[in-house]
Amino acid sequence: MSEQPRRRALGFLERWLVFAGAVVVWEIVTRISDSVFFPPPSKIVQFCAELWFVAEPTQLFLADTVYEDILPSLARALGGWLITAVVGISLGLALGRSRIAYEYLNPLVTFLRSVPPPALIPVFMVAFGIGAQMQIATIVFGALWPVLLNSVDGARSVDRVKTDTARSFRISRTEWIRMVVFPAALPKIFAGLRTSLAISLILMVMSELVSSNHGIGYRIQLSQNTFSFDTMWAWLVLLGALGYLLNNALLALERRMLGWQPKREAAPATAKAGG
Amino acid sequence: MRSALRGAIGVAGFLLLWEAAGHAGFAPQNLFPPVSMVFARLGELLATEEFLREIIATVLAWLIALAVATGIAVPLGLLLGSYPAVRRATKVLVEFIRPVPPVALIPLLIVLIGNGPETKISLAVFGALWPILFNTIYALDELEPMYVETARSFGLGRAAIMTRVALPNALPFIFTGVRISASIALILVISVELRGGGTAGIGYWMLGVSQGIRQMDLVLAGTLVAGVIGLLSNYGLEWLQRRLFGWNEIAQEAR
């Protein structure tokens, strides 16, 4: 057995052991304190099962709320994030390759990205009313900046040799962008995409908390109004699990797509993700 | 110099376009006001005491939260970071806690703590804790063993090494964490205000004017103020970092 897989297996084991230990401590503490606000994890899991699963094969054993709240929420978050990715990467690569265009837009971008994203919710609420449009607009506007700025940085990182080589082969402009600039910028772009994904999920929840009539955030708000804290925790756990899974899926994709990179830097520890 | 001029032209062009579009009548002016109307409204608002109070409420809550988070996270990070096993366990736990968006906790906090400023401060502290804690722990990871050996050979004890070698060495890194936390804390303070936790603040005010009759000029004036607070906090802290830690390469890398 070589060193690499063994260390990875050990890391995996350690990670889940720590997690299991934390859950056990959580269970014991919540059982002793017996607070309505903090149900023990075993009870939360039970509530999750009751909330999301039914004995109905035609619905794939999933409750209505999966189709009416979870999937629409996810669709809005991921849809907004995809729009962000397309706009952010294309605009970012263009601005990264054109210093003049960047200079014209820099102060404007600096101000716009300083606006705390939740402060946009009232703006889009007035503009679009309650609904998916308002939520997607908020997500796109709030999550755009990390992808955009990282793409700018990435596009600038094309080194001299590559530029000269490409020039001497006289490749076309589209080929230049597609085969030289884009791959060179990809590591940075992925870092931006992950931050943006986290922001998209946050803004999905936030916009649903402020105003909506369905979705995960709406369900959390509803369980506050009805004082059903077990249900609320079930939704919180779901959010955590979704965030964890989506982030790891993106990391896996990144590893696949960047496998060719000679030296892979470890993922930055602190991404500039908002609350 | 040239780039500053181009930047100014960019901003001016944006404002002119906005003004023209606002007058062109694509949408009623209460939904899409020209920029001059927004600035006029902002000027009126800034002259009233109530509006200034809302701004102060937000900024104060944010500053308190950031100070409390730093006060908790730095000592905790130094403590946790000194033991490799605890350090690794903390990293794992944070990895599991982090995906839960703090904003999702707002409803729970409102029930637990109520509608006062404590609610937004608590949530902002919770959200702002992690980057500072993490950066403190990471900084201890990076501590040059030779510094510690040297200090030890001069007869310094564990506590003295911590405060006189490890902490100064970690400070620039910690400050980067504080900067990240600052924007998170501001986002969370405004989020809680928007969710109706609290009875003052710029978010609370914006929620008020966005309901009922739709007055986009007022809402946008509020957004501008939020943006200026965000801008000042970003650049204020960046400036402070350069002032304090200009000697350090981390500070030089930081943008």
Side-chain angles (χ1 to χ4, degrees), chain B residues 1-191:
Chain B
M1 196 60 230
R2 227 227 226 107
S3 82
L5 185 68
R6 283 186 175 141
I9 293 173
V11 174
F14 174 76
L15 293 179
L16 278 176
L17 261 176
W18 178 356
E19 183 72 23
H23 286 293
F26 300 125
Q29 285 201 343
N30 69 321
L31 286 188
F32 187 44
V35 67
S36 56
M37 205 161 131
V38 176
F39 276 116
R41 205 64 75 233
L42 183 61
E44 288 164 28
L45 283 169
L46 287 175
T48 63
E49 206 190 304
E50 298 93 83
F51 190 72
L52 292 179
R53 279 225 179 103
E54 310 286 10
I55 297 178
I56 291 170
T58 298
V59 172
L60 212 57
W62 168 67
L63 283 176
I64 293 172
L66 196 58
V68 173
T70 311
I72 297 174
V74 173
L76 197 64
L78 289 177
L79 194 72
L80 295 177
S82 334
Y83 303 96
V86 186
R87 183 157 71 207
R88 281 217 299 281
T90 320
K91 280 185 193 170
V92 174
L93 280 185
V94 169
E95 195 191 333
F96 284 106
I97 295 174
R98 199 189 223 131
V100 183
V103 289
L105 299 174
I106 296 174
L108 184 66
L109 274 182
I110 290 181
V111 177
L112 278 178
I113 308 181
N115 260 352
E118 312 85 89
T119 310
K120 52 187 171 190
I121 293 174
S122 311
L123 189 71
V125 167
F126 173 75
L129 218 54
W130 307 110
I132 308 177
L133 185 72
F134 239 60
N135 272 23
T136 310
I137 292 176
Y138 268 108
L140 290 187
D141 252 348
E142 309 264 296
L143 181 59
E144 185 78 51
M146 204 182 37
Y147 296 168
V148 181
E149 300 296 317
T150 313
R152 198 170 287 152
S153 73
F154 275 105
L156 265 69
R158 213 186 155 83
I161 290 177
M162 189 48 87
T163 53
R164 288 164 67 179
V165 181
L167 184 61
N169 190 67
L171 272 181
F173 222 67
I174 294 175
F175 200 89
T176 305
V178 173
R179 275 177 46 203
I180 297 169
S181 292
S183 55
I184 293 177
L186 183 62
I187 288 171
L188 288 176
V189 166
I190 292 183
S191 296

Side-chain angles (χ1 to χ4, degrees), chain A residues 14-16 18-19 22 37-38 100 103-104 107-108 110-111 113-123 125-129 153 202 205-206 209-210 220-221 224 227 229 232-233 236 239-240 243-244 269-275, chain B residues 3 6-7 9-11 14 31 88-89 92-93 95-96 98-105 107-108 110-112 135 138 180 183-184 186-188 190-191 194-195 206-207 210 214 216 219-220 223-224 226-228 230-231 234-235 255:
Chain A
E14 182 189 73
R15 173 176 310 168
W16 290 100
V18 170
F19 180 65
F37 302 116
F38 298 99
I100 295 177
E103 281 176 355
Y104 276 113
L108 203 59
T110 305
F111 179 77
R113 81 180 171 109
S114 297
V115 177
L120 297 162
I121 294 175
V123 176
M125 220 156 72
V126 171
F128 300 122
D153 260 7
I202 289 165
V205 176
M206 190 58 209
L209 278 179
V210 174
I220 293 176
Q221 186 55 47
Q224 182 210 337
F227 293 96
F229 296 101
M232 188 189 279
W233 277 98
L236 289 176
L239 272 179
Y244 187 81
T270 43
K272 197 179 166 156
Chain B
S3 82
R6 283 186 175 141
I9 293 173
V11 174
F14 174 76
L31 286 188
R88 281 217 299 281
V92 174
L93 280 185
E95 195 191 333
F96 284 106
R98 199 189 223 131
V100 183
V103 289
L105 299 174
L108 184 66
I110 290 181
V111 177
L112 278 178
N135 272 23
Y138 268 108
I180 297 169
S183 55
I184 293 177
L186 183 62
I187 288 171
L188 288 176
I190 292 183
S191 296
L194 270 175
R195 191 43 243 136
M206 284 178 76
L207 189 69
S210 68
R214 301 150 107 189
M216 189 62 114
V219 177
L220 282 174
T223 310
L224 274 180
V228 170
L231 192 71
N234 282 349
Y235 286 84
R255 282 187 307 152

Side-chain angles (χ1 to χ4, degrees), chain A residues 147-216:
Chain A
V147 186
L148 180 80
L149 294 172
N150 276 28
S151 304
V152 169
D153 260 7
R156 282 187 182 156
S157 67
V158 181
D159 59 47
R160 192 83 230 166
V161 179
K162 283 196 194 117
T163 316
D164 291 343
T165 315
R167 195 165 287 160
S168 70
F169 277 106
R170 300 192 177 202
I171 61 171
S172 72
R173 196 155 176 82
T174 43
E175 274 177 319
W176 156 246
I177 297 282
R178 202 167 58 83
M179 296 176 69
V180 182
V181 177
F182 183 64
L186 213 48
K188 285 258 178 187
I189 291 177
F190 264 111
L193 282 176
R194 277 196 293 131
T195 310
S196 290
L197 182 63
I199 297 177
S200 299
L201 288 176
I202 289 165
L203 290 176
M204 167 198 91
V205 176
M206 190 58 209
S207 59
E208 287 172 353
L209 278 179
V210 174
S211 79
S212 65
N213 44 30
H214 64 281
I216 298 175

Side-chain angles (χ1 to χ4, degrees), chain A residues 60-116:
Chain A
L60 299 169
F61 300 103
L62 296 171
D64 290 342
T65 180
V66 174
Y67 298 101
E68 286 161 15
D69 295 304
I70 300 177
L71 292 180
S73 278
L74 270 181
R76 286 189 291 259
L78 292 179
W81 177 69
L82 281 178
I83 297 174
T84 301
V86 172
V87 176
I89 294 173
S90 40
L91 203 61
L93 290 182
L95 286 181
R97 294 314 299 172
S98 160
R99 186 156 283 280
I100 295 177
Y102 180 80
E103 281 176 355
Y104 276 113
L105 289 180
N106 186 25
L108 203 59
V109 169
T110 305
F111 179 77
L112 291 178
R113 81 180 171 109
S114 297
V115 177

